[in-house]
């Protein structure tokens, strides 16, 4: 949770795009709603498992660091490797592996909230399960938007943080 709070501060401090702000809000709310702050901890396994999405983050941070201190131009091969690792881990983990995982999480959450054999105990649980389903779909959609932007940047040879 602290990681996403830090992301929130950096997002505001550097006035990053709306997608970053949405990512922060959705991620924090995933742990608040799914982790038991609002209702029983119905989504903590999903929230923790979803942290696998952050596997691309170290490469993104290293890429941004290399751009900010000039290493990207001084060591173009190293920068190309870091760019490749970032794009590859992002696409594989968040989109290719994330699609089936998002479908599974969303289906289970919606069934728990609304299905014939719903396991939700009361309206607050049902609302929390439903929200976890909506959150799952929203985060996967956001990852797909970012994946398209990454692919466009790779095709154009764009280098920016």
């Amino acid at each position: 949770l602290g990681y996403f709070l830090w992301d929130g501060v950096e997002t505001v401090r550097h006035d990053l795009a709306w997608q970053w702000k949405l990512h922060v809000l959705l991620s924090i709310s995933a742990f608040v709603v799914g982790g038991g702050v609002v209702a029983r901890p119905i989504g903590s396994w999903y929230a923790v498992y979803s942290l696998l999405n952050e596997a691309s983050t170290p490469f993104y941070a290293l890429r941004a660091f290399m751009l900010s201190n000039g290493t990207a131009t001084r060591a173009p091969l190293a920068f190309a490797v870091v760019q490749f690792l970032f794009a590859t881990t992002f696409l594989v983990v968040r989109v290719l592996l994330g699609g089936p995982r998002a479908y599974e999480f969303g289906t289970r959450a919606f069934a728990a909230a609304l299905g014939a054999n719903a396991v939700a105990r009361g309206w607050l649980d049902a609302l929390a399960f439903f929200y976890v389903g909506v959150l799952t779909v929203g985060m996967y959609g956001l990852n797909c938007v970012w994946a398209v932007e990454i692919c466009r940047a790779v095709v154009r040879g764009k280098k920016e943080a």
Side-chain angles (χ1 to χ4, degrees), residues 55-124:
S56 62
T57 303
F59 301 113
Y60 178 81
L62 181 56
R63 180 185 174 279
F65 178 72
M66 292 175 85
L67 284 168
S68 70
N69 72 6
T71 308
T73 42
R74 288 193 311 270
L77 181 59
F79 184 70
V81 168
V82 170
Q83 291 234 98
F84 174 78
L85 291 172
F86 166 64
T88 304
T89 56
F90 190 97
L91 295 171
V92 169
V93 174
R94 292 188 184 218
V95 179
L96 297 178
L97 298 176
R101 196 173 64 231
Y103 178 79
E104 176 194 352
F105 291 2
T107 303
R108 285 184 178 190
F110 288 131
L114 308 168
N117 297 322
V119 296
R121 294 185 239 156
W123 69 269
L124 190 57

Side-chain angles (χ1 to χ4, degrees), residues 46-64:
Y46 300 113
V48 170
Y49 189 72
S50 293
L51 285 175
L52 177 60
N53 282 345
E54 300 303 321
S56 62
T57 303
F59 301 113
Y60 178 81
L62 181 56
R63 180 185 174 279

Side-chain angles (χ1 to χ4, degrees), residues 4-16 20-21 24:
F4 295 115
L5 291 172
W6 173 258
D7 261 7
V9 170
E10 290 298 298
T11 298
V12 172
R13 191 175 123 206
H14 295 289
D15 195 28
L16 298 177
W20 290 89
K21 293 172 180 75
V24 167

Side-chain angles (χ1 to χ4, degrees), residues 93-161:
V93 174
R94 292 188 184 218
V95 179
L96 297 178
L97 298 176
R101 196 173 64 231
Y103 178 79
E104 176 194 352
F105 291 2
T107 303
R108 285 184 178 190
F110 288 131
L114 308 168
N117 297 322
V119 296
R121 294 185 239 156
W123 69 269
L124 190 57
D125 262 11
L127 186 61
F129 273 117
F130 186 79
Y131 181 75
V132 168
V134 170
L135 175 72
T136 299
V137 172
M139 289 296 276
Y140 183 69
L142 185 57
N143 284 330
C144 289
V145 167
W146 277 337
V148 168
E149 289 181 12
I150 290 168
C151 290
R152 283 184 184 152
V154 167
V155 168
R156 293 179 182 150
K158 197 172 170 185
K159 290 183 184 178
E160 54 185 52

